[in-house]
Amino acid sequence: MNIRDRLEARSAHYSFRAKLAVVWILIFVALAVLFAAFRFDTAFMLQWLPFILAGVPLTILISIMGILLAVPLALLGALGRLSRNPVFNGISGFYVSFIRGTPLIVQIFFIYLGLPQLAQYAPGPLQGLFILGTITSGVLALGINYGAYMAEIFRAGIQSVGHGQVEAAQALGMTRTQTMRRIVLPQAIRVSIPPTGNEFIAMIKDSSLVGIVGTQELFFRASKIGRQYFQNLETLVIAALIYWLLTSIFSYFQGRLERRLARGYVREGGGPHGH
Amino acid sequence: MGTEARPVVSLRGVRKVFGDNEVLKGVNLDVGPGEVVVIFGRSGSGKSTLLRCINLLEEPTSGSVEVDGIRYEAGPGNRPRRSAMREIRSRTGMVFQDFNLFPHLSVIENVVEAPVTVKRMPRAEADRLGIRSLEKVGVADKKDEYPIRLSGGQKQRVAIARALAMQPEVMLFDEPTSALDPELIGEVLAVMKDLALESGTTMVVVTHEMGFAREVADRMAFMHEGNLIEEGPPAELVGGARDPRTRRFLEAVL
């Protein structure tokens, strides 16, 4: 038996998960060594941690409001893209194409800095609608942007509902609207919930872009302190770790939600529902 | 039967063209009240399309469809009238080959959905009616289950109850046993037989179950390449068909 064979034989005793755990531990050890070697200012990090952490509620708030705006927009966008009405279809086609074809950061600046320029043309009482705060601008931009991406998710969800369902509803005398509202959408939304969770997690990360226009969220606070004391590496590491923690927590709950939703469509002891 | 009474279903010159394929070539059919008509013939002969033209799931290319006095004219110059379409559909019940139950609704919710949304029936009344429909097909004990938990035969019986709950003038069956495991076909045929013989339901059935047809049908109609070739009571048609194509088909399947 040569060394390689012996190693393989030894290795076979341990499960894949155990080996995976060892790899992760080694990664963290390596990072800790790096951390020490580059003389990270831990005292500085601990000193400013509470200040940066204080941005977390705003980060979550912006993401939640953003997704709440994105869902109805996505639903309208999806219905429009499937509509036979040329006006509705055209407008939603433009919305999805234009928003997906331009950077989120440009959209944020457009709403925060571009819109106020139009205020001078608006009648007095309406001028306020064009001059928006950083948080409002950010939520609007995130909601509109994610609405366009999620429109495609909802559209796929609607199209995943079999044509037999539509025929059965129509054979019972239901109108198109009733069929959509009572039969197709409830099934479409069910399959769209897990990908919507993914979008929410992505939005938590993208909400950092709203910090660029001065919202006091997580990333803004981290980069502000970093620049002020020339210790960007320390504050950015803190920000990155917090984002990672947040997205991991929500991923965990999203995974549970996904399993729970699957259960309703699973036969007792059987495979998943084949629609 | 039913030659004097106004027919429940009356098709005149119904044509259906898909692309350059003429699936129905001008079909006339009358179904009287309480009558059970079985349409039979080879796959691709247009049987299902004909059935789907009755409740306008397929819109005829030309011709007219009349159900319970509601008339629908198809063809060039006639704009599709959605309200007439829905009137006809709410007077016909349809049972599909693959059930098409609503998977997100429980059995009773499946059954009361149309009475509540289409007929605006109060939920309590719809529930009573729904339970009666489910009892009729023998699955009332499953009323709170979801379709995924039912056997194929139970699913199809719930689908029949769902159609019955609209109290239709005519029931349309589109190969209702073709997707079922052989041992489950009997329970569905028994329910259909009961509807026909005990309840006097007007029925148009597309099926390959020739035993059922001979036992239950008032008339059998043979469909061939988009035409209704020949029709008559089972006793006359089986063994006494005039058209050689009908004879050949019957000899092959019986």
Side-chain angles (χ1 to χ4, degrees):
Chain A
M1 233 201 229
N2 63 32
I3 293 174
R4 224 185 115 178
D5 285 341
R6 226 179 294 172
L7 271 177
E8 269 177 21
R10 178 79 57 89
S11 165
H13 283 295
Y14 302 98
S15 76
F16 179 74
R17 289 178 77 99
K19 291 176 211 162
L20 208 55
V22 170
V23 172
W24 275 78
I25 289 167
L26 287 177
I27 290 172
F28 279 108
V29 168
L31 285 174
V33 169
L34 267 179
F35 198 84
F38 288 111
R39 296 166 193 254
F40 267 51
D41 190 343
T42 29
F44 174 82
M45 290 173 82
L46 284 174
Q47 184 194 343
W48 289 104
L49 181 62
F51 178 79
I52 297 173
L53 265 179
V56 168
L58 193 53
T59 289
I60 293 177
L61 180 75
I62 289 173
S63 305
I64 289 176
M65 295 206 299
I67 206 84
L68 288 180
L69 174 63
V71 165
L73 284 176
L75 199 53
L76 276 176
L79 289 174
R81 299 270 277 155
L82 294 167
S83 167
R84 271 183 262 167
N85 177 324
V87 177
F88 191 24
N89 193 313
I91 290 174
S92 51
F94 167 76
Y95 165 62
V96 171
S97 168
F98 181 74
I99 296 297
R100 285 173 34 129
T102 51
L104 175 55
I105 188 74
V106 173
Q107 293 160 10
I108 294 172
F109 274 74
F110 192 87
I111 292 173
Y112 182 62
L113 298 174
L115 275 188
Q117 227 174 305
L118 299 176
Q120 51 182 315
Y121 305 110
L126 294 181
Q127 280 181 359
L129 290 179
F130 292 87
I131 305 166
L132 302 169
T134 55
I135 297 177
T136 319
S137 302
V139 167
L140 268 181
L142 280 173
I144 291 171
N145 182 278
Y146 272 68
Y149 281 94
M150 286 160 57
E152 297 298 281
I153 293 176
F154 283 29
R155 182 168 76 140
I158 290 171
Q159 284 176 326
S160 76
V161 180
H163 191 60
Q165 293 287 307
V166 176
E167 288 201 333
Q170 287 182 339
L172 288 163
M174 293 171 81
T175 64
R176 278 199 204 161
T177 317
Q178 287 167 342
T179 304
M180 189 48 85
R181 215 187 55 222
R182 308 275 314 166
I183 305 303
V184 177
L185 281 184
Q187 298 182 54
I189 285 169
R190 187 175 196 130
V191 297
S192 302
I193 286 175
T196 299
N198 283 334
E199 294 296 302
F200 177 71
I201 289 162
M203 196 186 270
I204 290 177
K205 292 177 287 169
D206 277 351
S207 69
S208 60
L209 290 171
V210 181
I212 291 173
V213 293
T215 305
Q216 302 261 333
E217 48 69 77
L218 180 48
F219 171 66
F220 175 88
R221 286 165 179 260
S223 65
K224 179 184 165 178
I225 299 306
R227 270 185 266 187
Q228 198 172 321
Y229 296 94
F230 295 107
Q231 293 193 302
N232 283 300
L233 204 49
E234 281 87 347
T235 59
L236 289 176
V237 163
I238 294 178
L241 286 177
I242 296 174
Y243 278 116
W244 189 27
L245 188 67
L246 284 178
T247 53
S248 300
I249 292 170
F250 282 108
S251 295
Y252 170 75
F253 284 114
Q254 200 254 356
R256 282 179 51 142
L257 179 73
E258 207 163 317
R259 278 193 295 279
R260 242 185 75 179
L261 279 177
R263 208 155 49 196
Y265 273 12
V266 175
R267 205 180 285 131
E268 232 173 359
H273 188 43
H275 261 287
Chain B
M1 186 177 177
T3 41
E4 278 106 292
R6 187 184 68 183
V8 179
V9 175
S10 181
L11 306 182
R12 286 292 171 273
V14 169
R15 284 180 65 243
K16 179 68 186 181
V17 181
F18 291 111
D20 50 6
N21 181 16
E22 192 174 13
V23 181
L24 297 176
K25 298 172 177 165
V27 175
N28 300 321
L29 178 72
D30 283 326
V31 182
E35 206 177 8
V36 177
V37 176
V38 167
I39 301 172
F40 68 106
R42 220 175 272 136
S43 300
S45 59
K47 319 182 288 289
S48 282
T49 308
L50 180 65
L51 195 73
R52 290 159 60 85
C53 279
I54 297 176
N55 67 352
L56 301 166
L57 277 187
E58 298 295 351
E59 210 185 325
T61 309
S62 63
S64 75
V65 174
E66 193 177 318
V67 175
D68 192 32
I70 313 285
R71 199 176 160 79
Y72 188 91
E73 295 277 354
N78 294 298
R79 277 179 57 85
R81 289 173 302 131
R82 305 220 157 273
S83 59
M85 247 182 198
R86 282 199 301 276
E87 284 286 312
I88 285 180
R89 286 175 184 161
S90 63
R91 283 167 165 76
T92 54
M94 186 158 209
V95 176
F96 299 88
Q97 182 176 335
D98 25 317
F99 329 128
N100 292 340
L101 291 180
F102 306 132
H104 61 300
L105 301 178
S106 69
V107 163
I108 185 72
E109 286 167 341
N110 262 277
V111 176
V112 302
E113 177 61 38
V116 170
T117 8
V118 178
K119 286 189 169 170
R120 310 252 163 242
M121 191 182 280
R123 177 68 202 246
E125 192 187 337
D127 269 334
R128 279 196 298 277
L129 176 72
I131 297 286
R132 267 209 309 279
S133 304
L134 288 171
E135 279 166 353
K136 211 170 199 172
V137 300
V139 284
D141 56 320
K142 301 283 182 198
K143 73 182 182 66
D144 296 318
E145 290 285 8
Y146 280 82
I148 189 72
R149 303 275 300 272
L150 303 179
S151 73
Q154 289 167 336
K155 279 183 196 167
Q156 195 59 300
R157 287 189 283 154
V158 171
I160 293 172
R162 177 175 70 177
L164 287 176
M166 283 298 276
Q167 299 174 302
E169 298 300 322
V170 54
M171 287 284 286
L172 311 175
F173 292 86
D174 189 2
E175 303 201 25
T177 56
S178 299
L180 293 175
D181 291 338
E183 76 273 19
L184 301 175
I185 290 175
E187 61 184 81
V188 171
L189 290 180
V191 165
M192 291 170 62
K193 188 174 159 187
D194 184 64
L195 282 179
L197 303 180
E198 303 296 321
S199 315
T201 313
T202 312
M203 293 170 37
V204 184
V205 184
V206 169
T207 185
H208 296 289
E209 295 290 331
M210 298 313 280
F212 170 84
R214 290 172 77 172
E215 195 178 349
V216 179
D218 296 302
R219 269 192 296 150
M220 290 171 66
F222 178 62
M223 189 120 195
H224 184 79
E225 291 176 359
N227 287 304
L228 275 183
I229 299 282
E230 188 171 5
E231 55 176 281
E236 285 174 27
L237 207 64
V238 178
R242 278 155 312 183
D243 195 286
R245 291 165 295 186
T246 318
R247 270 204 303 274
R248 264 204 306 279
F249 184 85
L250 283 171
E251 276 163 20
V253 296
L254 287 176

